Amino acid sequence: MSTGKPIIVLVKPQLGENIGKAARAMLNFGLTEMRIVDPRDGWPNPSAGPTAAGADSVLEEAQVFATTAEAVADCSHVYATTVRKRGMTKEVLTPAEAADDMGSASGKCAILFGPERSGLEVVDVELSRKIITVPINPKFGSLNLAQAVILVAYELSKMDTIGTVQPTVDKKKKEPAPQIELDRFYEHLERALEGTGYFFPPDRAPATKVTLRNMITKPAWTNEEVQTWRGVISSLEKPFVKK
Amino acid sequence: MSTGKPIIVLVKPQLGENIGKAARAMLNFGLTEMRIVDPRDGWPNPSAGPTAAGADSVLEEAQVFATTAEAVADCSHVYATTVRKRGMTKEVLTPAEAADDMGSASGKCAILFGPERSGLEVVDVELSRKIITVPINPKFGSLNLAQAVILVAYELSKMDTIGTVQPTVDKKKKEPAPQIELDRFYEHLERALEGTGYFFPPDRAPATKVTLRNMITKPAWTNEEVQTWRGVISSLEKPFVKK
């Protein structure tokens, strides 16, 4: 059951207890849609129920995915929560700013939360459009998973009470392309560049690919725009393919 | 040690674990002064340390009082956190409103949190000037003590921009490229596409060019990102140029 509210995506969570706590945190503020990526201890996890403290419906309806990319394939806006500075050029929002951002967004929104110890990996941040960072004490930053979820959910619930009216029909055309289209575009671009020497030297290639992905996820291009870019790349690669 | 920041008062807390969690929640948002009223299991409580997760200084400096009245004797503004409607005529604030209220208050502020199960007693609410209520899901209200503390502490930290790390990333790096760089990129792209048949049929070309320009100006790419795109285009056009 989708409520149209943002989706909480737990990426590789370790402890079932924390999944339960996250569910409880969500439901306190009216969020009901949880997606779980590659949970360490499988799913369902009997440890999750007790800590959900009654938020069982969230756990029961949670969907499990093998990869983050699959979990957000249908989402137009993906946000990564992280505390680390990553030298990225993506916009960094506070939870309040992110709530505001999502309040005016059309298309599904997903918020990624990383594993308890390590947080999100670069590859997850890469596919996100924006970053959410909770401003914490520089001398003591120790937010656990459920706490990060509750702060974001709390801010989102504020938007709810304001009751933002979505002019759905007109926005349809402007809606950002779902993540899967960005993935396809990226794969196309990488394929086109493969034989051109662009990814030389090979040891720089991984970093270069991260940069490209980041540039593609940043603009919130519409489906049409993504198709236009693909047309551009196709036109440019054609002569090469013909060689 | 008083920081002049609001004091968190735990009234008759039951579990040491929750006192530790509350300390952790506080310190994440720069609150350091905890007062404990008549803790069920005495004080110090060995169960508190592990859940404080490093916020030991808060526990070590916590002061214990026999009654709420004594705990807030030196405070000019006392706020009671409660979810229950009490038929009282006191002003009820959200955490955000309360933070605002305290931000402009002179004199010490104290915020009371009740025991885990029962919440604050009438007598505690009575001595408070105002009530803080976290707006939660009417169908699922299940905030625990540390969660209530963290939400209030989080809102308070917004008032205090010096104390917490604001996610303002390296502005220099984030600054969008000047328009001239976008123009150059566009010209480069158009040149690269010119001989490929992309702008066919000719009467559609002007509209297509507008579309391309719009896609380039939309993302607010940085200088670095624009250069990366130019590198991509160069790599793709090279084989064609060589023909």
Side-chain angles (χ1 to χ4, degrees), chain A residues 83-100:
Chain A
V83 291
R84 282 179 288 173
K85 296 196 174 185
R86 296 180 182 268
M88 284 202 182
T89 54
K90 296 188 188 196
E91 195 175 352
V92 180
L93 307 174
T94 64
E97 290 165 343
D100 202 35

Side-chain angles (χ1 to χ4, degrees), chain B residues 12-234:
Chain B
K12 297 184 183 174
Q14 301 176 305
L15 293 171
E17 285 84 348
N18 291 331
I19 301 173
K21 286 179 187 174
R24 176 183 179 179
M26 287 170 60
L27 196 54
N28 263 304
F29 296 103
L31 298 184
T32 55
E33 198 168 347
M34 175 189 274
R35 296 183 181 180
I36 310 172
V37 177
D38 188 22
R40 187 189 68 183
D41 299 336
W43 191 257
N45 183 331
S47 305
T51 55
D56 305 286
S57 61
V58 174
L59 297 178
E60 282 157 18
E61 290 170 14
Q63 290 179 278
V64 179
F65 296 85
T67 64
T68 308
E70 289 168 82
V72 300
D74 61 338
C75 299
S76 307
H77 306 273
V78 180
Y79 299 76
T81 57
T82 174
V83 292
R84 281 179 288 174
K85 297 197 175 183
R86 295 182 183 267
M88 286 201 183
T89 54
K90 297 187 189 197
E91 196 177 350
V92 179
L93 307 174
T94 64
E97 291 165 343
D100 204 33
D101 209 51
M102 287 182 238
S104 60
S106 57
K108 279 189 192 174
C109 296
I111 309 163
L112 308 181
F113 293 83
E116 291 91 330
R117 264 166 210 280
S118 51
L120 288 172
E121 290 172 42
V122 173
V123 65
D124 297 319
V125 180
E126 236 170 64
L127 60 73
S128 305
R129 290 193 41 228
K130 298 183 182 179
I131 289 171
I132 302 175
T133 295
V134 180
I136 44 177
N137 183 350
K139 291 177 189 149
F140 181 79
S142 168
L143 276 187
N144 67 27
L145 177 56
Q147 287 170 337
V149 171
I150 207 168
L151 291 173
V152 171
Y154 164 74
E155 286 289 4
L156 286 168
S157 77
K158 288 190 190 172
M159 294 284 112
D160 171 30
T161 49
I162 302 154
T164 55
V165 179
Q166 300 294 319
T168 41
V169 186
D170 204 352
K171 278 234 172 101
K172 192 117 188 183
K173 228 177 160 184
K174 269 186 71 181
E175 201 168 280
Q179 196 64 30
I180 182 91
E181 293 302 326
L182 300 181
D183 287 350
R184 285 177 186 150
F185 173 43
Y186 173 73
E187 284 159 19
H188 183 171
L189 180 64
E190 186 178 311
R191 209 161 54 234
L193 289 168
E194 208 58 76
T196 66
Y198 183 80
F199 293 119
F200 185 87
D203 61 319
R204 284 289 306 151
T208 305
K209 290 175 182 180
V210 168
T211 303
L212 288 181
R213 269 194 190 278
N214 281 333
M215 293 199 307
I216 287 172
T217 47
K218 185 175 181 183
W221 279 318
T222 62
N223 261 318
E224 276 177 8
E225 289 171 323
V226 171
Q227 292 316 311
T228 302
W229 274 119
R230 293 195 61 173
V232 166
I233 304 304
S234 290

Side-chain angles (χ1 to χ4, degrees), chain A residues 24 27-29 87 89 92 95 135-138 140 142 154-155 158 198 215 218 220 225 228 235-236 239-240, chain B residues 24 27-29 95 135 137 140 142 154-155 158 163 165 167 169 173 198 215 218 220 225 228 232 235-236 239-240:
Chain A
R24 176 183 178 179
L27 196 54
N28 262 305
F29 295 103
T89 54
V92 180
I136 45 176
N137 183 351
F140 182 80
S142 168
Y154 164 74
E155 286 290 1
K158 289 188 189 172
Y198 183 78
M215 293 198 309
K218 186 176 180 182
E225 288 170 320
T228 303
S235 285
L236 289 170
F240 180 70
Chain B
R24 176 183 179 179
L27 196 54
N28 263 304
F29 296 103
N137 183 350
F140 181 79
S142 168
Y154 164 74
E155 286 289 4
K158 288 190 190 172
V165 179
V169 186
K173 228 177 160 184
Y198 183 80
M215 293 199 307
K218 185 175 181 183
E225 289 171 323
T228 302
V232 166
S235 284
L236 290 169
F240 179 71

